[in-house]
């Protein structure tokens, strides 16, 4: 497949605006500013693009909601707080192809009549921040950003804001709180950010990869774009593969490709030709799959039918040598560390799951512990303020469901 | 969202009605259906943290937090199901894992939400065992103690502080399980100490230090009383144990304050237990006050009054009433003076405070009392506050301004000081001290020149031409020079003020303030009349708990008697003075002159609860009962007449003020005919008009801008004075609790001025004006700009009023001073 999102990244000077333009960059922007904003929104809607942050919400629909709210100003936010364990798909865009994101944001800002954009980038990506800042400066100099974008009288200013190391700030309302200078905690929805977001104004938040798809849609048109990948869930997708494969890394492949293809065809199979034991297909909070379930097509529509979710497309591969109880324990430790503390079930419950897992993993668990673990997790699911607690509970539930025997073996 | 749309939903099989926009929890509460909760507070935005209020919605798999889910038409809600019971049980079980089970030594036990809910929904035993939290208790700050171990992180304290109080002294710090409530960097709490967080706390994580380990809650009886401090007229709930008040708190929904209290109302009650209380009558013998019997004291007073009356006539005797004594007390004072002594020389300190506002409003609207409207700020779209620190002087009413701003109204504050309202405003205009009158005049000039006023309504108002003539010199340029803000700012303020919507101008008229005069209030009234607005759009609150009631009961010259200016500043105007519940040496301006007048009197009778400066130089001192030791009635700034009960025994031989006058009249062989409080109330019933105003008659009254003192080379700075949040007049300084927050006078100096003069924080500064000099501790602060210093007036020993002077009419009593490091 022809690469789009990762186009040009082999070029050692890929972050330079001239190289980007040489490779066809900013053409989509020039095309877009000749279109009516509403037409861009309907084009994106027609393309079938779904948000690449993990939830897979149709981008065009989100945009249409925001356009329907008459309040002004509107804000365009990019969620670059890529913090889920296993996920590093946005990083190549941020570090190697920053102008693609910038172009995507300008087009989106124009389409949604937002004059200010913010890229909320995770604090642990300091290099990407510098690269983006430099790229934004270049875009200003070239006239793609500022008070008169491409001489068309369009206003768009773009800023990069660094997070301070909180996973929860990847949740869109917590991100907004953090961007406003407050403590990163999720807000009550409704109101949704499209109506009352940043500074209580209509705000569109899209993931880096989502925004990077926008120039492509404009460039080849919604119909051509909809042809790529799965019919219900089209487009190119970045898969960040880690763990026991021969060639881990970020792969741009069409939506709907199977896990098996990713692992065996593109990543060269399991390292040391060992046996595959399990795969987490979409970042740590998506349900773990046993080795025999990897023929599932990787997209937002089909993954739930196979017992998991596409999430961010962060594939974590575990071979037969892995102690999955320990993996589960480490995952929950992460959630405990990242729980913001706002709601009781997540703040206290995840800590308890960690304590029980620590016991089991350390060999001092009791026969009742596995059931207690499940019971605690059931009392988190559907009762927390935001999906972070749900994510943690789901990890435990699926690890136990698919690999209960491994847990039982630890109990003496 | 429109509130008038009524929706119907079903909760637990019961059909109920609710307003659109309500949450499920609000709809349930309105219909008397209980849903457990710990992080919900009526005053705050929904939070959704504790997850106890979860409910089931038919057709939905997930549970929903009732506090943050909007009620919808046709919704079917269940609040008590086995599934919910299990969810709540787990939440409580989880909360109790780390919560210390120190209920036997926790002051909250018995009225603790966690205890109650654990009893109702919680497990009998926990399946988890873990080390409990053991952070150190924080008792290093005054008044507020924090026990982070008991905290369940509902965040109510944080939100009530930031959202409702407009302060933000604490926040949640840390993340997840390690989250805790703390000031920044875990420093010692340094806030305004209102204590709202304590009342909001559902557990024992926040407590009032004065109440610490004083009682189990079930040993106490709780009574409602009216707060004795400011004109808000808040209801405070007093807890008594063995006849002693040991705690005051606000209770949700009770009183005009609906459960809100400021620090004075919550902690200031202990002044009644001050060591300074006068316990027996005293007569000066050989230059020393010696205790005597009531018999002797009253005989002495009667004889001396008769003597002076005989020698100089009744007009040589005067009386000063009290804004803090009850209506009954003040009524009996004036009745005694008028009927027994035969004098009309009756007045009070309000002459330099609220009376100025009354005089102005009488001119503008022809009414002598205009009560404020409690909810006026909440109904306004545009609020202008001119040189008034409302959240300090009427703190709970002031909260409505913050709430209105949070709800979307515009709040513009024009003040030299960075007040709390300035910090919470949409726009803060830092004008030069005392230039508010000029600003208001300048706004009117812009409005008239731009034709933005209500021409129909003003055409019938007399004096329009005089007004326009008087405004001639107040061009934007001239006003910019006076106020120090740009011409554009003045023009745009005037225009946005004139923009259609509900407008409001609020300002205070307090004795301690020297940046406003009667003319400032006249200017505000002119502006409101010009815009064709109702008199309600000018809100000037009466200052103290019974300022309005005192006025209504006739404590003021009614038939040409001498006012307080004559009595105190014109030596020899009276030969004898009867002072009830007032300490003129501290509260009146130009203290040296007042003291000289008092010392020159032939007879000074002081009837008070404390032995303070004026009492110490008196010939006779009569011990009066304090608030809570006597029954009585206050009339608040809103015109509400509220009874406050007798809750504790009298201190020593003290007697209610009204009773002293009754007894004294009897000793002087004149029965006033009113033997008890019921008879007094019956007698004053027709005299007092509760909050009702007669027909108003508008007129314009040009308000000139006259500064009585300007800065000079010798005195290059302006001194601004007013009340501060923690104190109220000279009364609150007798409260140990309030003194633990602010116990000493200070001088706020801008950091740049401090540097220029070599003044260090906490070091003494010599402050000099034409009238005197005082030494004050420096507080370096950018709340005041360069060239301006600020001092509160509460502290007698600081004698700040040695620097000031009074203004009876329209002149601005600005004080020019010089400062130097002492």
């Amino acid at each position: 497949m022809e690469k789009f999102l990762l186009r040009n990244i082999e070029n050692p000077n890929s972050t330079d605006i001239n190289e980007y333009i040489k490779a066809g960059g900013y053409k989509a922007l020039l095309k877009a500013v000749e279109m009516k904003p509403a037409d861009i929104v309907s084009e994106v809607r027609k393309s079938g693009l779904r948000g690449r942050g993990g939830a897979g919400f149709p981008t065009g629909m989100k945009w249409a909601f925001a356009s329907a709210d008459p309040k002004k100003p509107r804000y365009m936010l990019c969620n670059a707080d890529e913090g889920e364990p296993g996920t590093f798909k946005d990083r190549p865009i941020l570090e190697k192809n920053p102008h693609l994101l910038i172009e995507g944001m300008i087009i989106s800002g124009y389409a949604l009549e937002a004059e200010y954009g913010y890229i909320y980038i995770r604090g642990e990506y300091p290099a990407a921040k510098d690269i983006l800042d430099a790229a934004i400066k270049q875009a200003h100099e070239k006239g793609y950003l500022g008070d008169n974008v491409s001489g068309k009288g369009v206003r768009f200013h773009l800023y990069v804001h660094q997070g301070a190391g909180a996973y929860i700030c990847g949740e869109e309302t917590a991100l907004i709180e953090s961007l406003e200078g407050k403590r990163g905690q999720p807000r009550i929805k409704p109101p949704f950010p499209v109506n009352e977001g940043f500074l209580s104004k209509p705000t569109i938040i899209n993931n880096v990869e989502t925004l990077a798809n926008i120039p492509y849609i404009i460039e080849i048109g919604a119909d051509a774009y909809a042809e790529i990948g799965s019919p219900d869930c089209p487009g190119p997708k970045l898969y960040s593969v880690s763990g026991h494969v021969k060639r881990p890394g970020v792969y741009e492949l069409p939506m709907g490709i199977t896990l098996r293809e990713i692992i065996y065809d593109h990543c060269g199979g399991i390292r040391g030709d060992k046996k595959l034991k399990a795969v987490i297909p979409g970042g740590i909070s998506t349900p773990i799959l046993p080795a025999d379930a990897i023929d599932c097509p990787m997209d937002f529509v089909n993954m739930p039918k196979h017992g998991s979710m596409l999430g961010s497309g962060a594939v974590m591969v575990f071979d037969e040598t892995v102690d999955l109880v320990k993996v589960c324990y480490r995952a929950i430790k992460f959630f405990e560390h990242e729980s913001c503390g706002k709601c009781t079930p997540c703040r206290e419950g995840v800590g308890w799951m960690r304590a029980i897992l620590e016991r089991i993993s350390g060999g001092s668990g009791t026969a009742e512990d596995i059931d207690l673990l499940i019971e605690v997790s059931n009392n988190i699911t559907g009762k927390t303020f935001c999906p972070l607690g749900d994510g943690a509970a789901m990890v435990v539930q699926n690890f136990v469901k698919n690999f209960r025997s491994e847990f039982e073996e630890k109990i003496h | 969202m429109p509130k008038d749309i009524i929706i119907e939903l079903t909760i637990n099989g019961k059909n109920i009605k609710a307003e659109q926009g309500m949450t499920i929890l609000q709809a349930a509460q309105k219909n008397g259906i209980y849903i457990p909760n710990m992080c919900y507070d009526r005053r705050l935005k929904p939070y959704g943290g504790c997850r106890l209020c979860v409910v089931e919605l038919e057709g939905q798999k997930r549970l929903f937090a009732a506090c943050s889910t909007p009620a919808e038409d046709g919704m079917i809600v269940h609040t008590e199901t086995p599934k919910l019971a299990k969810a709540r049980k787990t939440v409580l079980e989880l909360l109790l894992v780390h919560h210390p089970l120190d209920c036997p030594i926790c002051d909250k036990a018995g009225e603790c939400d966690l205890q109650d809910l654990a009893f109702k929904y919680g497990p009998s035993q926990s399946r988890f065992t873990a080390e409990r939290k053991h952070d150190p208790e924080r008792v290093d700050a005054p008044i507020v103690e924090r026990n982070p171990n008991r905290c369940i992180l509902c965040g109510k304290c944080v939100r009530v502080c930031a959202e409702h109080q407009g302060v933000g002294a604490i926040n949640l710090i840390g993340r997840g399980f390690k989250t805790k409530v703390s000031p920044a960097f875990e420093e010692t709490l340094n806030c305004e100490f209102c204590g709202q967080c304590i009342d909001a706390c559902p557990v024992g994580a926040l407590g009032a230090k004065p109440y610490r380990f004083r009682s189990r809650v079930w040993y106490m009886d709780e009574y409602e009383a009216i707060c004795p401090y400011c004109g808000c007229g808040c209801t405070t709930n007093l807890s008594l144990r063995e006849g002693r008040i040991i705690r005051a708190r606000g209770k949700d929904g009770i009183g005009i304050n609906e459960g809100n209290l400021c620090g004075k109302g919550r902690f200031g009650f202990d002044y009644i237990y001050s060591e300074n209380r006068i316990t027996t009558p005293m007569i000066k013998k050989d230059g020393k006050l010696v205790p005597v019997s009531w018999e002797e004291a009253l005989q002495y007073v009667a004889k001396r009054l008769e003597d002076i009356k005989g020698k100089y006539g009744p007009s040589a005797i005067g009386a000063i009433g009290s804004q803090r004594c009850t209506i009954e007390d003040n009524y009996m004072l004036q009745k005694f003076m008028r009927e027994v002594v035969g004098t009309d020389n009756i007045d009070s300190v309000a002459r330099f405070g609220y009376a100025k506002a009354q005089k102005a409003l009488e001119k503008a609207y022809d009414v002598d009392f205009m009560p404020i409207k409690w909810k006026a700020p909440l109904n306004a779209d545009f609020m202008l506050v001119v040189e008034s620190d409302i959240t300090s002087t009427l703190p709970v009413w002031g909260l409505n301004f913050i709430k209105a701003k949070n709800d979307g109204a515009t709040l513009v504050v024009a003040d030299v000081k960075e007040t709390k309202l300035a910090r919470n405003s949409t726009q803060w205009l830092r004008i030069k001290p005392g230039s508010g009158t000029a600003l208001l005049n300048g706004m009117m000039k812009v409005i008239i020149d731009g034709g933005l006023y209500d021409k129909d309504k003003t055409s019938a108002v007399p004096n329009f031409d005089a007004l326009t003539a008087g405004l001639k010199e107040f061009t934007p340029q001239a006003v910019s020079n006076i106020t120090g803000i740009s011409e554009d700012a003045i023009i745009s303020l005037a225009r946005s003020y004139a923009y259609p919507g509900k407008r409001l101008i609020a300002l205070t008229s307090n004795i301690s303030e020297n940046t406003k005069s009667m003319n400032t209030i006249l200017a505000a009234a002119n502006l409101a009349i010009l815009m064709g607005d109702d008199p309600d759009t000018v809100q000037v609150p009466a200052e103290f708990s019974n300022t309005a009631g005192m006025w209504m009961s006739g404590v003021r010259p009614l038939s040409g008697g001498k006012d307080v200016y004559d009595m105190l500043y014109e030596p020899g105007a009276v030969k004898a003075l009867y002072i009830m519940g007032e300490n003129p040496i501290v509260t009146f301006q130009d203290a040296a002159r007042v003291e000289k007048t008092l010392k020159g009197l032939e007879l000074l009778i002081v009837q008070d609860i404390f032995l303070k400066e004026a009492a110490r130089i008196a010939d006779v001192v009569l011990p009066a009962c304090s608030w809570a030791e006597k029954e009585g009635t206050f009339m608040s700034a809103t015109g509400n007449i509220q009874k406050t009960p007798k809750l504790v025994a009298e201190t020593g031989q003290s007697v209610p003020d009204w009773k002293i006058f009754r007894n004294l009249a009897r000793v002087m062989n004149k029965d006033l005919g009113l033997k008890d409080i019921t008879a007094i109330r019956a007698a004053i019933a027709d005299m007092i008009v509760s909050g009702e105003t007669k027909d108003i008659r508008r007129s314009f009254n040009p308000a000139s801008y006259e500064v009585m003192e300007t800065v000079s080379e010798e005195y290059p700075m302006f001194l601004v004075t007013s009340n501060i949040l923690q104190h109220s007049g000279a009364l609150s300084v007798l409260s140990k609790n309030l003194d633990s927050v602010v116990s000493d006078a200070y001088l706020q100096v801008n950091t740049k001025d401090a540097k220029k003069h070599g003044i260090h924080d906490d070091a003494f500064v010599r402050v000099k004006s034409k009238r005197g000099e005082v030494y004050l501790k420096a507080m370096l602060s950018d709340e005041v700009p360069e060239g301006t210093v600020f001092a509160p007036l509460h502290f007698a020993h600081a004698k700040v009023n040695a620097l000031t002077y009074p203004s009876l009419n329209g002149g601005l009593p600005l004080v020019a001073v010089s400062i130097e490091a002492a």
Side-chain angles (χ1 to χ4, degrees), chain B residues 355 447 508 577 585 669:
Chain B
I447 288 170
T508 53
L577 202 52
I585 298 176
N669 295 319

Side-chain angles (χ1 to χ4, degrees), chain A residues 165 183 339 342-344 383-384, chain B residues 47 49-51 172 174-176:
Chain A
R183 176 182 168 82
S339 168
K342 178 165 181 167
C343 70
T344 318
K383 293 165 189 77
T384 57
Chain B
Y47 187 66
C50 76
R51 311 315 276 183
L172 299 163
R175 190 162 75 197

Side-chain angles (χ1 to χ4, degrees), chain A residues 165-166 183 185 188 190 337-345 347-349 352 372 375-376 379 382-385 390, chain B residues 46-51 62-63 68 86-87 90 94-95 97-98 127-130 152-153 172 174-177 179:
Chain A
R183 176 182 168 82
Q185 277 191 341
I188 284 169
H337 183 250
E338 296 297 341
S339 168
C340 78
K342 178 165 181 167
C343 70
T344 318
R347 179 183 70 235
E348 310 280 340
W352 267 104
L372 184 59
E375 160 123 26
V376 176
N379 275 303
K383 293 165 189 77
T384 57
F385 188 90
D390 285 337
Chain B
Y47 187 66
C50 76
R51 311 315 276 183
R62 240 187 116 90
L63 302 182
S68 49
K86 203 171 165 194
T90 310
L94 289 168
L95 285 174
V97 172
H98 297 279
R127 289 168 294 173
F128 309 123
T129 45
I152 55 151
L153 297 173
L172 299 163
R175 190 162 75 197
F177 182 69
T179 307

Side-chain angles (χ1 to χ4, degrees), chain B residues 208-248:
Chain B
K209 273 165 79 177
Y211 171 64
R212 183 174 160 90
F213 303 142
R214 291 289 295 277
S215 176
R216 312 302 303 174
V217 295
W218 49 88
Y219 292 137
M220 301 190 297
D221 298 313
E222 197 162 26
Y223 300 92
E224 285 173 20
I226 303 304
C227 174
Y229 284 103
C230 80
C232 286
C234 296
T235 300
T236 161
N237 295 272
L238 302 170
S239 301
L240 271 75
R241 183 171 181 184
E242 287 159 19
R244 200 178 159 92
I245 302 170
I246 57 174
R247 177 177 75 168

Side-chain angles (χ1 to χ4, degrees), chain A residues 40 63 123 137 157 180 196 222 241 243 278 318 354 370 378 409:
Chain A
I40 301 176
W63 284 22
K137 200 168 160 238
H157 291 263
E180 286 181 359
E196 238 176 80
V241 188
F318 304 106
R354 193 265 306 140
I370 300 174
N378 286 341
E409 276 165 28

